[in-house]
């Protein structure tokens, strides 16, 4: 009888131990599964990668140059359509500069300075000669030059934004990239029509 009880106790202990081991393994797997399942979306929404930093550090000076061009249009353009377009560009891009600067500060990354020399290799960026030429133009000559240069500038921004769409991780940055592609592609079409009318 005692032998039977001992065997039963041993079997019971083995069964309980096995159950506990299986439960522990199961809990571990499900816990890690839950972690990856729950944390991946939220972490991807709040974390960033090198592409997000590159996007912000590149787009800030890119936008700043567009603002310089838009400010020139306010005083040198003759076309009401060009002036209105320049005002819209300024209204859209100035807040984006502030937003991207905030991201970089929160990430502990450098916010680009106001000089353009270090960024002249970026898609669509005007060099000093282009900006000087634009600054000296006025009237209809300014309108045509502004539109041609801004189309090129916007095309560069769209290319940069598409790279962010495909490689960025930070949700707010990829959302801004979506907005840039949509808005600037529409403005390119608008400017092409204005150039066709001119």
């Amino acid at each position: 009888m005692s032998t039977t009880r001992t065997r039963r106790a041993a079997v019971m202990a083995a069964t309980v131990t096995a159950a506990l081991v299986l439960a522990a393994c199961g809990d571990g797997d499900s816990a890690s599964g839950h972690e990856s399942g729950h944390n991946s979306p939220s972490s991807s929404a709040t974390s960033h990668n090198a592409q997000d930093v590159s996007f912000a550090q590149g787009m800030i000076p890119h936008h700043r140059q567009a603002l310089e061009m838009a400010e020139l249009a306010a005083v040198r353009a003759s076309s009401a359509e060009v002036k209105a377009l320049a005002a819209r560009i300024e209204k859209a891009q100035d807040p984006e500069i502030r937003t991207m600067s905030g991201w970089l500060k929160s990430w502990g990354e450098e916010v680009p300075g106001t000089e353009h020399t270090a960024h002249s290799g970026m898609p669509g960026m005007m060099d000093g000669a282009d900006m000087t030429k634009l600054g000296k133009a006025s009237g209809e000559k300014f309108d045509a030059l502004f539109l041609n240069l801004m189309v090129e500038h916007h095309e560069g921004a769209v290319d940069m934004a598409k790279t962010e769409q495909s490689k960025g991780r930070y949700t707010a940055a990829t959302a801004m990239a979506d907005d840039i592609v949509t808005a600037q592609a529409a403005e390119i079409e608008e400017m092409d029509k204005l150039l066709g009318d001119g």
Side-chain angles (χ1 to χ4, degrees):
M1 191 76 170
S2 63
T3 304
T4 305
R5 284 180 182 168
T6 303
R7 283 180 182 168
R8 281 183 184 170
V11 170
M12 192 67 128
T15 304
V16 169
T17 301
L20 288 171
V21 168
L22 288 172
C25 290
D27 286 347
D29 290 343
S30 63
S32 62
H34 285 315
E35 279 180 19
S36 60
H38 289 303
N39 287 347
S40 291
S42 59
S43 64
S44 66
T46 57
S47 63
H48 66 282
N49 60 12
Q51 167 56 38
D52 298 317
V53 175
S54 177
F55 171 70
Q57 289 181 333
M59 198 61 79
I60 286 171
H62 206 277
H63 273 16
R64 282 180 181 150
Q65 189 175 69
L67 293 184
E68 286 183 29
M69 296 166 72
E71 287 166 6
L72 287 171
V75 294
R76 294 188 167 274
S78 63
S79 164
E81 289 90 344
V82 169
K83 288 186 177 184
L85 172 66
R88 276 187 277 122
I89 289 171
E90 193 168 355
K91 185 177 180 181
Q93 296 192 21
D94 190 47
E96 288 178 346
I97 291 172
R98 291 197 298 273
T99 298
M100 290 184 284
S101 297
W103 295 341
L104 291 171
K105 287 175 185 175
S106 70
W107 298 337
E109 300 287 348
E110 184 181 354
V111 177
T114 55
E115 72 287 345
H116 296 304
T117 53
H119 309 284
S120 57
M122 286 189 303
M125 284 290 277
M126 303 299 110
D127 59 22
D130 289 326
M131 293 300 290
T132 299
K133 188 176 180 181
L134 186 65
K136 290 180 178 178
S138 61
E140 291 181 0
K141 286 185 178 180
F142 176 92
D143 294 346
L145 184 58
F146 173 85
L147 292 169
N148 278 297
L149 292 177
M150 192 60 84
V151 165
E152 184 180 344
H153 201 269
H154 271 26
E155 286 172 346
V158 168
D159 287 345
M160 292 165 67
K162 285 182 176 177
T163 300
E164 173 64 15
Q165 285 177 319
S166 62
K167 297 180 180 179
R169 179 188 300 165
Y170 191 59
T171 303
T174 57
M176 182 182 287
D178 292 343
D179 292 342
I180 288 171
V181 170
T182 301
Q184 298 204 20
E187 288 173 352
I188 288 169
E189 187 176 344
E190 179 184 351
M191 290 186 284
D192 282 340
K193 286 179 181 177
L194 289 172
L195 283 166
D197 293 341

